[in-house]
Amino acid sequence: MADQNDAPVLEISDLRLSYYTRMGEVPAVMDFSLTIAKGESVGLVGESGCGKSTVANGIMRYMGNNGGIVGGTIKFKGRDMAEMSEEEVRQLRGKDIAMIYQEPMASLNPSMTIGNQLMEVPIEHESISEQEAHDRVFEMLEAVHIPDPKRLMDSFPHQISGGQQQRVVIAMALLSKPALLLLDEPTTALDVTVEAGIVELIAELSREAGTSLLYISHNLGLMLEVCDRISVMYSGEVVEEGHIDSIFEWPKHPYTHGLFGCIPLPHADKNARPLVAIPGQLPLPHERPTGCYFGPRCGFFEAGRCDGNSIPITEVDTDDDPAHRVRCLRWNEIDHEAALPEADTRPPIEIGETVLEVADMKKYYEVSDNSLAAMISGATAKEVKANESISFRAAEGETVAIVGESGCGKSTFAKVLMGLEQATEGEVRLSGTDIGGIAVRERTPEQLASLQMVFQNPNDTLNPSLSVGAQIGRVIKRFGIESDPGKIQQRVFELLDTVKLPREFARRKPRQLSGGQKQRIGIARAFAGNPKTVIADEPISALDVSVAAAVTELLMDIQRENRTTLLFISHDLSAVRYLADRVVVMYLGQIMERGQTDEVFSPPYHPYTEALLSAVPIADPQVQKRRIVLEGNLPSPLDPPKGCPFSTRCPRRIGAICDDEVPPLQIAADRHVIACHISMDELREVEPVISLSKPETTAA
């Protein structure tokens, strides 16, 4: 916690930031105030486009030639940054103020080794020798738990994993022990286990150096774990701010309530209490309404009052948090028990016959080994076991989640299903036909239509030169659903209705759509051929919580209507707990556990499942977790462990048997299977990871 006797490290008052375009001034941030004390951690949350990153860029003076401060002040340790010269600001960056970005490769030079890039920071800011800089970099890489720092310093950015890239960027930001660290979505693209380790690491290093933190994210669960205070932004303004406990337990602004209603909590039920997305969209800066900017999306809007003058931010009269403030005229009139509207309760989908059956499916890749040792021994190739003995079933109308860290084989399995790769061994039966060895170009139109995919990034799958209608219509015609142009157009309109987009969007190009709208188009195109099975590969991981809630409910509505089998690939166990009927947990190409969702999310757990559950941020202060942070990295598929693939990282490893012998499949319940050497009786004695009582911390 912060030492309140220290002077503020950052003090922002009535800040206004604008960009200048051909259309004139575009106000991006207005009336923004924030104070951060030494060692304090503050969060900025809100949907994409609300101004969070613009605030960070304003602090760093990274707004380009067409943007800048048009009002208010930003003071760093008492000095107004607007009065500093470019050289003074440049000296602050990297030394006193550092920033960690969402995409680490944007901060790393691909043509320089990691060591040279890191050494530049202390050499430039502190004028120390190369040897001193080298030694300090080595120590910092050890501090961020990088395995084999010496090898990594000689590596280029593309030669290390995404989690290691992010740790390198963190090391770079912390090398000079900055007084203020800005973190802009630093863990959004990372696995939950990597995220948990990095969050723990940042907290540990900031405590040691007394660094103040400004977290920028739309992940409310992460905010609850890492922040002392939180500011909720909407359309360039702070609409609510206060201590983290006060905001999470007694939110006052309807927008804050709306954000909480979009989050799948552990006790959420997709049928009894579906998620409720915030209606409408964030207004563009030049289209903001008068009065309350949230008014057009607010269920408590009062005409003639909420649409009058600009709404000031006022203090909430509470003894628990004197600093709690809200920008709403009606906050003390709203019935907060009813502030989260409930969607209609729906009966569970009736599960039908088995549609997809995977039996001992294996996918191996052969890669060349050009090392000197391989040449001497005569071995010039190695085998990568991307998938090893995958077996499970999926029925009509059922949602089966496939979870695990990056590199565990989820996407490889999806490629085999889609025909982009062929299985090495085993069977993949879709409606009774083995398609595992049939390449996509050899599949019949009926087989192609019956199995479709929704991708994580729709930008990679939408043709920028074709209209939305043309892209959906092409699928309808290609799969023989309709051939008459008029009927194809009508079917396109019906699909746009299904994904809740205006029919006029058929004429738009992808560049004219938001990220959430593009994802809806991807869903419409996937369902255009009336598929029996749809693979959804991380379809909501990069979306705002409100958009993610809307896309999640949309997928379930279409599944309910079409009785589609849904394979949901994800590393987000909160979404999996909400969506899935059954779960398959994968690690290093193998299934560690599979079973009904309720069974997988409560003891007995596989130790890897237990660690995954512990790593998921949960946006509910009533829910407590046992803390398990996995050490080390996923082993290389080129050299996997001989016995249990998880043995090198397992906090419950019981001895040499784990290293030397493949674990047996133990039956915990009907169709609930765990691959582990630990006895089932002992696994049943493990305490639940998620509970309502505060547990002791568990270190792995």
Side-chain angles (χ1 to χ4, degrees):
M1 289 294 177
D3 184 348
Q4 300 300 324
N5 295 322
D6 291 332
V9 171
L10 182 70
E11 196 171 7
I12 303 176
S13 301
D14 305 321
L15 180 66
R16 290 190 295 121
L17 302 172
S18 293
Y19 291 98
Y20 293 89
T21 67
R22 293 178 180 178
M23 299 175 61
E25 181 181 351
V26 178
V29 173
M30 295 154 297
D31 189 25
F32 182 89
S33 297
L34 178 70
T35 300
I36 304 179
K38 181 180 179 180
E40 190 175 29
S41 178
V42 178
L44 277 184
V45 300
E47 295 168 286
S48 296
C50 71
K52 307 185 302 294
S53 295
T54 302
V55 170
N57 290 334
I59 295 170
M60 296 291 288
R61 294 268 292 271
Y62 276 154
M63 297 192 65
N65 295 328
N66 68 328
I69 300 172
V70 296
T73 59
I74 301 176
K75 292 183 179 180
F76 177 70
K77 292 187 174 180
R79 288 194 62 194
D80 190 343
M81 295 187 67
E83 298 176 355
M84 295 182 187
S85 67
E86 284 295 328
E87 178 60 24
E88 286 178 308
V89 174
R90 193 181 73 84
Q91 289 297 325
L92 281 179
R93 297 189 192 120
K95 185 178 186 297
D96 296 303
I97 304 176
M99 188 164 178
I100 299 173
Y101 296 89
Q102 178 177 352
E103 176 48 62
M105 280 301 287
S107 304
L108 298 174
N109 187 330
S111 65
M112 292 177 64
T113 64
I114 298 296
N116 287 337
Q117 292 186 61
L118 292 175
M119 286 165 60
E120 276 190 338
V121 177
I123 289 174
E124 172 66 25
H125 290 292
E126 301 175 43
S127 301
I128 64 176
S129 69
E130 287 193 12
Q131 186 58 49
E132 289 176 306
H134 180 279
D135 294 343
R136 185 183 297 183
V137 166
F138 189 87
E139 291 174 2
M140 183 56 71
L141 289 176
E142 286 187 320
V144 298
H145 307 306
I146 288 282
D148 196 358
K150 185 178 184 303
R151 179 196 61 81
L152 184 128
M153 289 181 70
D154 295 329
S155 302
F156 289 90
H158 69 275
Q159 295 175 312
I160 62 177
S161 69
Q164 288 179 329
Q165 288 172 2
Q166 192 67 295
R167 287 171 187 258
V168 167
V169 172
I170 292 169
M172 184 183 294
L174 295 172
L175 266 173
S176 294
K177 298 183 178 180
L180 176 64
L181 180 60
L182 312 179
L183 304 102
D184 191 358
E185 301 279 9
T187 60
T188 297
L190 300 179
D191 292 319
V192 288
T193 51
V194 178
E195 176 186 65
I198 285 178
V199 165
E200 189 95 357
L201 171 68
I202 292 171
E204 175 189 335
L205 296 178
S206 66
R207 282 194 299 269
E208 292 176 1
T211 302
S212 301
L213 305 176
L214 179 60
Y215 268 96
I216 296 172
S217 180
H218 60 254
N219 187 335
L220 285 163
L222 178 65
M223 295 292 98
L224 180 60
E225 291 189 357
V226 302
C227 293
D228 302 316
R229 291 187 294 115
I230 190 172
S231 291
V232 181
M233 288 192 72
Y234 183 82
S235 191
E237 292 183 335
V238 172
V239 295
E240 187 165 8
E241 63 183 8
H243 189 273
I244 193 76
D245 293 335
S246 179
I247 294 290
F248 273 76
E249 293 178 7
W250 300 106
K252 306 299 182 185
H253 199 283
Y255 177 61
T256 311
H257 275 283
L259 290 177
F260 284 123
C262 298
I263 301 170
L265 297 173
H267 49 73
D269 187 308
K270 66 179 181 180
N271 296 309
R273 187 169 182 174
L275 301 179
V276 182
I278 302 173
Q281 296 180 27
L282 197 78
L284 296 173
H286 60 280
E287 295 178 351
R288 292 180 175 120
T290 57
C292 178
Y293 294 160
F294 186 62
R297 305 174 69 186
C298 181
F300 302 96
F301 178 80
E302 185 177 308
R305 183 180 177 191
C306 298
D307 54 358
N309 299 323
S310 60
I311 311 297
I313 189 165
T314 57
E315 293 183 1
V316 174
D317 185 16
T318 172
D319 295 332
D320 295 331
D321 182 13
H324 195 151
R325 304 198 301 166
V326 63
R327 194 183 299 272
C328 179
L329 297 177
R330 301 198 60 204
W331 70 265
N332 57 351
E333 304 170 11
I334 297 173
D335 180 1
H336 293 291
E337 292 296 323
L340 286 175
E342 293 189 16
D344 296 333
T345 300
R346 302 170 299 198
I349 300 176
E350 185 176 341
I351 306 301
E353 297 295 321
T354 297
V355 172
L356 177 69
E357 186 171 6
V358 184
D360 294 320
M361 195 278 285
K362 300 179 181 180
K363 175 59 184 176
Y364 297 167
Y365 293 98
E366 191 175 276
V367 296
S368 299
D369 186 352
N370 298 319
S371 67
L372 180 61
M375 292 179 183
I376 293 173
S377 65
T380 57
K382 286 188 175 182
E383 219 171 31
V384 175
K385 297 180 179 181
N387 288 148
E388 178 72 11
S389 299
I390 304 299
S391 299
F392 70 90
R393 289 175 286 167
E396 181 185 50
E398 187 176 37
T399 299
V400 178
I402 304 174
V403 302
E405 296 169 284
S406 298
C408 74
K410 306 187 301 293
S411 295
T412 299
F413 173 68
K415 288 177 182 178
V416 172
L417 284 181
M418 295 300 296
L420 301 175
E421 300 280 359
Q422 285 77 61
T424 304
E425 292 182 24
E427 295 182 342
V428 180
R429 293 191 171 276
L430 184 67
S431 299
T433 302
D434 185 2
I435 62 172
I438 306 176
V440 64
R441 294 185 180 278
E442 299 171 358
R443 294 186 180 182
T444 65
E446 291 75 20
Q447 288 173 334
L448 291 172
S450 65
L451 183 62
Q452 287 292 295
M453 192 163 181
V454 179
F455 295 88
Q456 177 178 359
N457 188 353
N459 286 322
D460 293 341
T461 59
L462 295 177
N463 190 325
S465 62
L466 294 180
S467 68
V468 164
Q471 297 188 59
I472 299 174
R474 183 175 180 273
V475 177
I476 297 170
K477 184 177 181 180
R478 173 72 176 79
F479 292 152
I481 306 300
E482 297 287 356
S483 57
D484 179 77
K487 291 183 178 179
I488 290 175
Q489 184 182 49
Q490 183 58 35
R491 177 62 178 153
V492 169
F493 288 157
E494 290 172 357
L495 284 164
L496 290 174
D497 292 342
T498 300
V499 297
K500 298 178 175 59
L501 289 176
R503 293 188 172 190
E504 66 170 15
F505 275 37
R507 297 190 295 272
R508 294 192 180 186
K509 300 287 182 65
R511 67 176 182 273
Q512 297 173 291
L513 308 178
S514 69
Q517 290 168 344
K518 290 176 186 176
Q519 193 62 289
R520 289 171 184 247
I521 296 300
I523 293 172
R525 189 176 60 178
F527 282 89
N530 298 327
K532 294 180 179 179
T533 302
V534 169
I535 305 168
D537 189 1
E538 302 278 12
I540 60 173
S541 63
L543 301 177
D544 287 326
V545 289
S546 180
V547 178
V551 169
T552 298
E553 295 303 315
L554 174 63
L555 276 171
M556 288 194 297
D557 288 343
I558 299 176
Q559 180 189 32
R560 184 179 298 277
E561 182 179 340
N562 296 277
R563 294 190 56 75
T564 310
T565 302
L566 182 64
L567 297 184
F568 185 73
I569 298 175
S570 180
H571 62 253
D572 182 354
L573 268 74
S574 292
V576 166
R577 175 69 181 85
Y578 177 75
L579 264 176
D581 301 302
R582 289 195 300 115
V583 179
V584 175
V585 181
M586 290 184 65
Y587 184 84
L588 208 63
Q590 300 186 40
I591 293 178
M592 297 288 96
E593 183 171 1
R594 68 175 189 264
Q596 300 286 343
T597 303
D598 288 341
E599 295 170 344
V600 172
F601 276 72
S602 57
Y605 308 112
H606 188 281
Y608 181 56
T609 308
E610 185 182 12
L612 287 178
L613 289 171
S614 173
V616 178
I618 298 175
D620 187 345
Q622 302 300 319
V623 174
Q624 301 293 334
K625 296 182 304 178
R626 283 192 293 114
R627 191 72 168 160
I628 305 170
V629 179
L630 292 181
E631 299 294 339
N633 298 307
L634 200 72
S636 170
L638 282 168
D639 187 23
K642 179 182 175 182
C644 174
F646 188 55
S647 63
T648 59
R649 303 170 70 195
C650 182
R652 296 189 182 278
R653 179 180 171 277
I654 57 176
I657 188 174
C658 297
D659 299 325
D660 300 331
E661 297 183 23
V662 175
L665 297 179
Q666 302 189 69
I667 308 299
D670 181 36
R671 297 180 71 185
H672 182 198
V673 179
I674 298 175
C676 189
H677 288 293
I678 303 172
S679 71
M680 192 55 61
D681 288 340
E682 187 175 341
L683 289 176
R684 286 194 175 97
E685 294 299 317
V686 172
E687 294 182 12
V689 173
I690 299 170
S691 64
L692 293 178
S693 59
K694 191 170 184 178
E696 295 181 1
T697 300
T698 301

